[in-house]
Amino acid sequence: MNAVNNVMRRELSGYFATPVAYVFLIIFLVMTGIFTFYLGNFYERGYADLDPFFRFHPWLYLFLVPAISMRLWAEERRLGTIELLFTLPLTTTQAVLGKFLAAWVFIGLALVLTLPMWLTVNYLGDPDNGVILAAYIGSWLMAGGFLAIGSCMSAMTRNQVVAFILSVVVCFLFLLSGLPMVMNLFNGWAPQVILDGIASLSFLKHFADISKGVIDLRDLVYFVLMIGFWLLATVLILDLKKAD
Amino acid sequence: MIEVKSLCKSYGAIKAVDDLSFTVEAGQVLGFLGPNGAGKSTTMKMLTGFLVPTSGTAMIDGIDAVENSVVARKKIGYLPEGAPSYGEMTVRQFLTFVARARLIEKGEVRTSVDRVLEKLNLVEVKHQVIETLSKGYKRRVGLAQAIIHDPQILILDEPTDGLDPNQKREVRHLIRDMAKDKIIIISTHILEEVQALCNRVMIIAHGKLLADDSPQGLISRSRYHNAVSLVVESAEKVASALSELPEVARAELSEGELILFPAGQADLFAAVTRAINDNGWQVSALRLEAGRLDEVFHKITRGGAST
């Protein structure tokens, strides 16, 4: 646990030592604001809830999370520090977990910084704060899923741009897997079991469930498994090809 | 102690390391010498647990570097080629990270970092961001992280590469200071470095071990070993006269220097000085050659290659 903590702290301090952290935080906050007030019609709707705020999170994450995750491993490969890291007495799993947690905590921080949104809605009306809390948790879990995918894509290459594009594509597939435009590809020829399987992989569906305020065990398990699976894949890829 | 048995590493059809076996004991400073791409770095990466060998084993103090990699790594300090480090951190932050990762106890981290900062003359740059430092400083930061846990085994991949002559001297001095009762393996393609630092040399080319000897032993393989070179007036006449001596096997003239090669175990130097005195030749330089490492290196790495 100490090793994980040490790697995590190093990674986090790395974000703040470069403009990465500040640029990300500012863009995230500005974008959530724009989406909520302009596209989400926050005022005009006349409801005291944060639905217009959370509704756009999956689409924001689609581009912003890969921007964070792309450097996780590609950068280590490019600079050669991967050789330093993996000759320290820590396991690949500990390093993968440490770096993932750093990025996840960082996105958690970005979410915490949106609290003025919550204050606003509480000032304007009387929202169900339980639902809002659940949506925050759901949003953070979903970010974890995106990040785990991004970590795996970043482990595959030494080029950050490649890592970014791969992550966006894979995340996009997981976002959309429940929507008709994807399902239509399979409709008619694939058996129902597979259709259900594909539909149940959708980030959107599970996030929508949680953000309604019901934290269902199935949705939690889904995100935990998702994160676990992609982190495991990261470990395997790194163990298979550490050099080059 | 390091025990390596029939270590191999292939990348597809290319054998980077081909059936390497050797043992290194405490107190030895072993130099891996070889042309670029000989497999020196690959061997080091397998010893430090970064690469998994295709076949064969490497034991670090009796611990398998593959099966029990994390435990084996604790015993080793490693400077990877090019001394990579996290450029956005300050020297102090970086060394603190490595100290913690090296499982140095909480209370000791600060003193360990201070100790290596002192030892490598990094005190004045400890709050600087690493990527703003000069190459020499970066290399020293790399060395500092390698020795922070005072390891019994030190593996340094081209520790003086890219340093200026003064910095090279400093780093060599440092390595020599630590050499007592440790195992140090360095890789280099600088021949003088091997002579200055190592008490054992392994010449590697095409992944194969071609020679394993002391630097003196290697030098004595040179055809110049115990040869006598002199600079003399009317060298050609002198050359033909000296060729008559029973102690001289052959005389060569190159770049104004006359080089005499000994026949058997004869004391060539004494014979030549006697001849000079007897004939009254005007000699402006006279030297007994120890041998030339570059010539031995060339002979072994070229002769050993299959092409």
Side-chain angles (χ1 to χ4, degrees):
Chain A
M1 213 53 223
N2 271 335
V4 175
N5 186 27
N6 191 28
V7 172
M8 184 184 89
R9 279 164 62 183
R10 197 214 68 71
E11 187 77 15
L12 255 181
S13 75
Y15 292 160
F16 288 96
T18 56
V20 173
Y22 306 103
V23 170
F24 179 90
L25 289 176
I26 289 168
I27 290 184
F28 181 77
L29 294 176
V30 169
M31 298 285 275
T32 46
I34 291 174
F35 280 150
T36 309
F37 292 108
Y38 290 94
L39 296 173
N41 297 322
F42 180 68
Y43 290 126
E44 293 82 348
R45 287 169 75 246
Y47 291 105
D49 64 14
L50 280 180
D51 181 56
F53 167 69
F54 286 113
R55 203 188 318 149
F56 295 103
H57 277 197
W59 307 103
L60 259 179
Y61 287 158
L62 180 59
F63 292 98
L64 287 184
V65 171
I68 288 293
S69 66
M70 66 181 185
R71 63 197 293 281
L72 279 178
W73 294 103
E75 179 89 339
E76 296 264 349
R77 278 194 201 284
R78 195 176 61 80
L79 296 177
T81 44
I82 189 168
E83 194 171 343
L84 187 90
L85 187 64
F86 285 133
T87 49
L88 293 172
L90 45 86
T91 62
T92 311
T93 311
Q94 286 170 328
V96 166
L97 264 182
K99 277 176 157 274
F100 167 79
L101 286 175
W104 205 19
V105 165
F106 178 69
I107 291 182
L109 176 71
L111 278 176
V112 168
L113 290 179
T114 64
L115 280 183
M117 208 71 90
W118 171 73
L119 293 176
T120 310
V121 84
N122 270 282
Y123 172 76
L124 292 173
D126 187 18
D128 184 341
N129 283 321
V131 174
I132 291 176
L133 181 66
Y136 264 113
I137 292 171
S139 175
W140 191 56
L141 282 170
M142 183 172 57
F146 277 106
L147 264 180
I149 291 174
S151 155
C152 183
M153 299 301 133
S154 179
M156 288 203 267
T157 172
R158 57 190 298 156
N159 187 318
Q160 295 196 26
V161 177
V162 173
F164 177 81
I165 294 171
L166 284 176
S167 309
V168 171
V169 169
V170 176
C171 290
F172 192 57
L173 288 177
F174 273 95
L175 255 187
L176 292 187
S177 62
L179 295 187
M181 66 180 270
V182 172
M183 296 312 290
N184 286 342
L185 290 176
F186 297 93
N187 256 337
W189 61 273
Q192 192 60 39
V193 189
I194 292 185
L195 288 178
D196 290 346
I198 295 168
S200 71
L201 283 178
S202 169
F203 275 120
L204 276 181
K205 180 182 162 295
H206 290 279
F207 176 58
D209 286 353
I210 294 185
S211 55
K212 275 177 210 138
V214 193
I215 300 185
D216 190 330
L217 190 63
R218 270 172 305 180
D219 297 321
L220 283 183
V221 168
Y222 165 80
F223 282 117
V224 169
L225 280 182
M226 202 72 186
I227 292 169
F229 170 82
W230 288 103
L231 289 185
L232 188 65
T234 310
V235 171
L236 291 178
I237 287 171
L238 287 171
D239 274 342
L240 275 178
K241 57 170 233 172
K242 272 184 207 155
D244 66 57
Chain B
M1 194 169 85
I2 297 178
E3 281 177 285
V4 172
K5 279 199 196 113
S6 13
L7 204 64
C8 294
K9 180 78 192 176
S10 331
Y11 296 102
I14 301 158
K15 281 193 166 172
V17 173
D18 190 0
D19 197 22
L20 210 58
S21 299
F22 58 91
T23 311
V24 199
E25 312 265 358
Q28 288 189 338
V29 181
L30 168 63
F32 280 169
L33 199 59
N36 288 327
K40 300 174 301 224
S41 293
T42 310
T43 306
M44 289 183 153
K45 284 174 186 172
M46 289 192 279
L47 291 180
T48 50
F50 183 63
L51 286 181
V52 178
T54 310
S55 64
T57 54
M59 304 290 270
I60 310 294
D61 273 341
I63 296 157
D64 194 308
V66 178
E67 299 292 313
N68 219 340
S69 177
V70 174
V71 183
R73 285 181 218 170
K74 286 181 194 169
K75 300 178 175 290
I76 300 177
Y78 178 43
L79 173 71
E81 191 176 357
S85 56
Y86 293 107
E88 77 276 4
M89 303 176 95
T90 67
V91 174
R92 180 155 211 128
Q93 284 173 335
F94 175 65
L95 291 176
T96 306
F97 163 70
V98 176
R100 288 201 188 113
R102 284 291 181 188
L103 309 173
I104 293 171
E105 277 179 49
K106 254 204 170 104
E108 305 283 308
V109 168
R110 213 188 159 79
T111 50
S112 312
V113 172
D114 284 337
R115 187 174 50 84
V116 289
L117 283 173
E118 193 87 28
K119 199 161 186 173
L120 284 139
N121 287 322
L122 288 166
V123 178
E124 71 265 37
V125 296
K126 64 183 173 187
H127 293 306
Q128 271 196 48
V129 175
I130 294 175
E131 60 193 0
T132 64
L133 295 176
S134 70
K135 207 166 179 181
Y137 273 122
K138 281 182 189 160
R139 191 57 49 107
R140 277 191 260 169
V141 171
L143 277 166
Q145 65 78 23
I147 61 170
I148 200 160
H149 54 305
D150 195 22
Q152 274 310 294
I153 298 170
L154 206 51
I155 297 180
L156 311 171
D157 200 347
E158 303 196 346
T160 61
D161 185 46
L163 299 184
D164 69 37
N166 288 333
Q167 294 167 334
K168 277 185 187 167
R169 242 177 82 108
E170 258 174 58
V171 168
R172 279 178 205 158
H173 195 76
L174 199 89
I175 294 173
R176 222 173 298 133
D177 272 354
M178 294 185 295
K180 233 181 86 187
D181 61 60
K182 276 194 205 309
I183 290 178
I184 299 182
I185 302 181
I186 65 169
S187 81
T188 179
H189 45 244
I190 307 167
L191 295 163
E192 39 163 328
E193 193 153 285
V194 169
Q195 274 173 294
L197 273 179
C198 305
N199 50 33
R200 183 177 167 192
V201 187
M202 285 173 50
I203 295 184
I204 302 173
H206 301 280
K208 285 197 175 72
L209 180 60
L210 299 181
D212 183 353
D213 208 336
S214 65
Q216 292 76 24
L218 274 182
I219 286 172
S220 69
R221 297 187 194 189
S222 167
R223 71 191 191 102
Y224 292 98
H225 183 56
N226 285 342
V228 172
S229 60
L230 62 159
V231 179
V232 66
E233 273 176 36
S234 53
E236 278 170 40
K237 209 179 72 200
V238 174
S240 58
L242 282 173
S243 307
E244 303 298 310
L245 293 174
E247 288 90 348
V248 176
R250 209 152 42 88
E252 270 176 28
L253 266 171
S254 78
E255 292 163 28
E257 237 187 7
L258 174 60
I259 302 166
L260 303 162
F261 294 96
Q265 296 298 310
D267 190 352
L268 180 62
F269 193 77
V272 172
T273 23
R274 225 177 306 124
I276 292 170
N277 284 333
D278 293 350
N279 295 295
W281 290 322
Q282 290 300 307
V283 176
S284 54
L286 177 66
R287 188 171 75 243
L288 177 66
E289 298 267 354
R292 295 181 186 175
L293 200 53
D294 59 343
E295 181 239 317
V296 176
F297 178 72
H298 186 79
K299 203 165 66 185
I300 291 176
T301 52
R302 284 299 141 96
S306 50
T307 45

